[in-house]
Structure formats: structure tokens, C-alpha cells
């Protein structure tokens, strides 16, 4: 029935919003690759003091 099409799009929109909200919540609580500090890499690779 064509009368049900607006409800179909409304359900899809609510589904999309819920997935987007879930993504933002997971991204807020589980931070991706922010724990890597580049200072430790610099210290690890370049901290050797060469003596002549």
C-alpha cells in the first residue's frame, strides 16, 4: 500500500539514528588509537647518545 511508505521511511530514519548514536557512543567510550604517544617513539629510536 502506498500509504505505508512514510512509515517505512520513518522506521528507516529511526534505525539510522539509532545506529549513528551507537557508533558515537562506542567511539566516545572506546577511543581508537589515541593512546599511542609519539614522544615515546622518538625517545625509543633517537635517545641513543653516540660517543666518539
Amino acid at each position: 500500500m502506498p500509504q505505508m511508505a512514510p512509515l517505512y521511511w520513518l522506521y528507516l530514519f529511526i534505525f539510522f539514528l539509532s545506529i549513528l548514536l551507537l557508533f558515537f557512543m562506542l567511539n566516545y567510550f572506546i577511543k581508537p588509537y589515541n593512546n599511542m604517544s609519539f614522544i615515546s617513539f622518538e625517545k625509543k629510536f633517537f635517545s641513543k647518545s653516540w660517543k666518539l
Side-chain angles (χ1 to χ4, degrees), residues 22-35:
L22 180 71
F23 170 74
F24 281 129
M25 283 173 51
L26 285 177
N27 208 13
Y28 179 76
F29 288 114
I30 304 171
K31 296 201 180 293
Y33 56 81
N34 273 349
N35 296 331

Side-chain angles (χ1 to χ4, degrees), residues 3-13:
Q3 296 91 346
M4 295 300 287
L7 284 178
Y8 173 72
W9 291 114
L10 181 67
Y11 292 148
L12 276 181
F13 182 66

